[in-house]
Amino acid sequence: MEDYILFELKDQVACITLNRPKAFNSFNRPMALQLQSILDSCEKDESVRAILLTGNGKAFCAGQDLKEVTEEGGPSLTKIINEHYNPIIQRIRNIEKPIVCAVNGVAAGAGANIALACDITVAAESSSFIQAFSKIGLIPDSGGTYFLPRIIGRQMATALMMLGDKISAADADKMGMIYKSCPDESFAEEALSIAQRLSKMPTIGLGLTKRALNKSLTNDLDMQLAVEDLLQTAASNTYDYKEGVQAFLEKRKPDFKGK
């Protein structure tokens, strides 16, 4: 099978690269299923403590490969959403390890929303984001209507989704859509550095933080306080909590194990 997804483990960081550069890393079925499989492996592999997702070539991801949709015998949009994109978004949010997205070029349609679903998103200054769905009469999918208004507000999200404007990395940074934009020449190094920094932190605690943030999207205050109580208790029973406290008392750098 062709490697539509490249994988490399760098010092406890799983580096995942979308690899259909001639098609601007647009998704077809084999690529979507391959990404799901690799994410599953990353979740189970204890040597993986953080994940870095990026693209090969000039684009991060142009969304769905429309040739696949229109070719005879190709999958329906219903099948594509239910079997390709929804499972990818669910994995990104449910894997209790930090996931950094490094947007190296255009992120359009589902590609933009996959980037926004990640925990920390950084982008090269030359990259851009486009909610391209309205240009072909579709609605945003891949969690776009869920995440984007919560990140930048309903008015701005509505305008971007309906007008389909291209947003530069700098503007995405200013409106809080992403964590930061970086100069092209230092972008890849900066993204990897963030993922490596996360991988050396108490990653069980980071995973529990991610779970709490997921719950906060639908909970009221009392429900969220109860979640924090439960997850704080779980965090306090980890090796890393004990190591962090001991290191603080001994005035030394902690050696976290992700346990």
Side-chain angles (χ1 to χ4, degrees):
M1 185 174 74
E2 188 171 348
D3 283 331
Y4 293 126
I5 307 291
L6 302 179
F7 178 86
E8 183 180 4
L9 185 61
K10 293 183 180 179
D11 189 24
Q12 299 182 303
V13 175
C15 299
I16 301 172
T17 305
L18 307 180
N19 188 42
R20 294 187 73 215
K22 292 181 180 179
F24 299 104
N25 297 323
S26 59
F27 275 92
N28 59 12
R29 182 172 177 82
M31 180 174 166
L33 297 180
Q34 194 175 354
L35 178 57
Q36 291 174 34
S37 177
I38 288 175
L39 288 172
D40 287 342
S41 297
C42 290
E43 181 177 27
K44 296 171 186 174
D45 189 345
E46 292 185 1
S47 68
V48 172
R49 293 180 61 191
I51 297 168
L52 177 65
L53 177 64
T54 192
N56 183 21
K58 297 180 179 180
F60 169 67
C61 176
Q64 174 62 33
D65 187 341
L66 294 178
K67 290 182 180 178
E68 182 181 60
V69 180
T70 56
E71 68 185 5
E72 186 176 352
S76 66
L77 281 176
T78 299
K79 188 180 185 72
I80 286 169
I81 290 170
N82 289 328
E83 296 184 8
H84 300 184
Y85 295 116
N86 287 357
I88 288 171
I89 299 301
Q90 288 163 341
R91 282 165 170 80
I92 288 172
R93 292 313 312 156
N94 293 331
I95 293 173
E96 293 195 346
K97 299 179 182 184
I99 301 179
V100 177
C101 184
V103 178
N104 56 296
V106 65
N113 293 332
I114 287 170
L116 298 180
C118 294
D119 299 310
I120 297 175
T121 303
V122 297
E125 284 182 345
S126 62
S127 66
S128 58
F129 297 81
I130 313 171
Q131 292 290 327
F133 304 91
S134 64
K135 296 180 181 297
I136 57 172
L138 294 178
I139 73 156
D141 57 30
S142 304
T145 60
Y146 185 82
F147 293 112
L148 192 58
R150 285 168 169 80
I151 295 171
I152 63 172
R154 181 183 61 82
Q155 276 282 331
M156 184 65 75
T158 300
L160 295 185
M161 289 176 173
M162 290 187 174
L163 297 172
D165 291 339
K166 180 186 288 188
I167 301 299
S168 69
D171 285 342
D173 188 347
K174 288 176 185 175
M175 68 177 67
M177 186 188 298
I178 60 174
Y179 173 53
K180 65 163 65 174
S181 62
C182 307
D184 286 17
E185 57 270 19
S186 61
F187 154 75
E189 182 180 353
E190 175 75 8
L192 179 59
S193 176
I194 291 170
Q196 289 175 329
R197 178 181 170 188
L198 290 166
S199 74
K200 292 174 172 58
M201 293 178 69
T203 45
I204 288 182
L206 299 185
L208 294 174
T209 298
K210 183 171 181 174
R211 192 191 306 181
L213 289 170
N214 285 340
K215 296 287 187 182
S216 76
L217 296 172
T218 54
N219 280 350
D220 62 24
L221 176 59
D222 288 340
M223 293 167 67
Q224 193 63 19
L225 289 172
V227 167
E228 290 177 354
D229 180 21
L230 180 68
L231 298 184
Q232 191 72 291
T233 300
S236 70
N237 288 321
T238 63
Y239 166 89
D240 283 343
Y241 166 71
K242 296 176 179 64
E243 166 63 10
V245 171
Q246 194 64 31
F248 175 80
L249 295 174
E250 296 175 1
K251 296 181 172 57
R252 61 173 173 82
K253 185 178 180 180
D255 181 19
F256 296 121
K257 304 290 187 183
K259 298 180 180 179

